[in-house]
Amino acid sequence: SFSAFGPTDDGRIKPDVVASGLDVYSSIASSFSSYGFYNGTSMAAASVTGSTALLHQLQDELLPGVVMHSSTLKGLLIHTAEEMGISPGPDYQFGWGLLNIKEAADLVQLNVGNGGKNIREGIILDGESLIIPVQTGSVVSDLKITLCWTDPPGISTDPVLNSRESKLV
């Protein structure tokens, strides 16, 4: 109830994912061995930052020298997030859900183990198509696909309070 959430003024869904920021047991500055409970995005942001650094480390240990694109990391976090809120799908309070770094790490390991069938990176130019065959077993369950990309930088505009002008490129 005390955290900011979307939508953005131009309609984009934010946040993309959420993390625990309530009653987080964390180190404090009063001494080298002091801890306390804190709330807020400062606690959640540290958790997400450390978790994503660990995913990069895992990727480097499994595939030395192969660095995930930022869009791949975003897709991985979104794809493995746990649904939150009262309705399925992304929303303006929880984004695509609660960060689940264990699921993300498991997917990275599965992807390495099966020759890269779960996570694909590449470039699709304007007007091009990409077809990815999908095989299912005898029991078909829900198929979940997450597509993310990195837009080219937009053109800076003068700051305007509550501008509805789209920032998407």
Side-chain angles (χ1 to χ4, degrees):
S1 63
F2 59 87
S3 290
F5 50 87
T8 61
D9 288 336
D10 67 350
R12 290 171 290 135
I13 293 178
K14 295 295 171 193
D16 291 310
V17 293
V18 295
S20 179
L22 185 63
D23 291 331
V24 176
Y25 192 58
S26 180
S27 58
I28 57 178
S30 56
S31 77
F32 289 120
S33 59
S34 296
Y35 292 85
F37 289 93
Y38 288 90
N39 301 315
T41 54
S42 295
M43 296 292 100
S47 170
V48 173
T49 302
S51 296
T52 57
L54 289 172
L55 281 178
H56 278 292
Q57 180 180 349
L58 176 63
Q59 170 82 3
D60 190 52
E61 286 177 8
L62 297 173
L63 294 171
V66 179
V67 179
M68 276 189 278
H69 296 159
S70 61
S71 56
T72 304
L73 181 60
K74 179 180 178 179
L76 183 60
L77 297 179
I78 288 171
H79 189 83
T80 58
E82 294 179 27
E83 175 61 45
M84 297 289 294
I86 58 173
S87 299
D91 61 61
Y92 295 120
Q93 189 169 8
F94 300 103
W96 278 264
L98 179 67
L99 184 74
N100 186 332
I101 218 66
K102 165 105 172 55
E103 286 292 318
D106 288 348
L107 186 54
V108 168
Q109 289 178 315
L110 177 65
N111 187 62
V112 170
N114 68 20
K117 292 181 180 176
N118 295 93
I119 300 172
R120 302 251 180 141
E121 293 181 325
I123 297 173
I124 303 172
L125 299 175
D126 191 22
E128 288 185 334
S129 298
L130 175 65
I131 298 172
I132 300 172
V134 176
Q135 289 182 318
T136 60
S138 59
V139 177
V140 178
S141 61
D142 292 339
L143 176 64
K144 183 177 178 183
I145 298 171
T146 304
L147 176 66
C148 285
W149 61 92
T150 305
D151 280 331
I155 299 170
S156 297
T157 58
D158 292 330
V160 176
L161 182 62
N162 297 324
S163 172
R164 302 279 183 198
E165 182 182 336
S166 177
K167 300 297 183 199
L168 293 176
V169 177

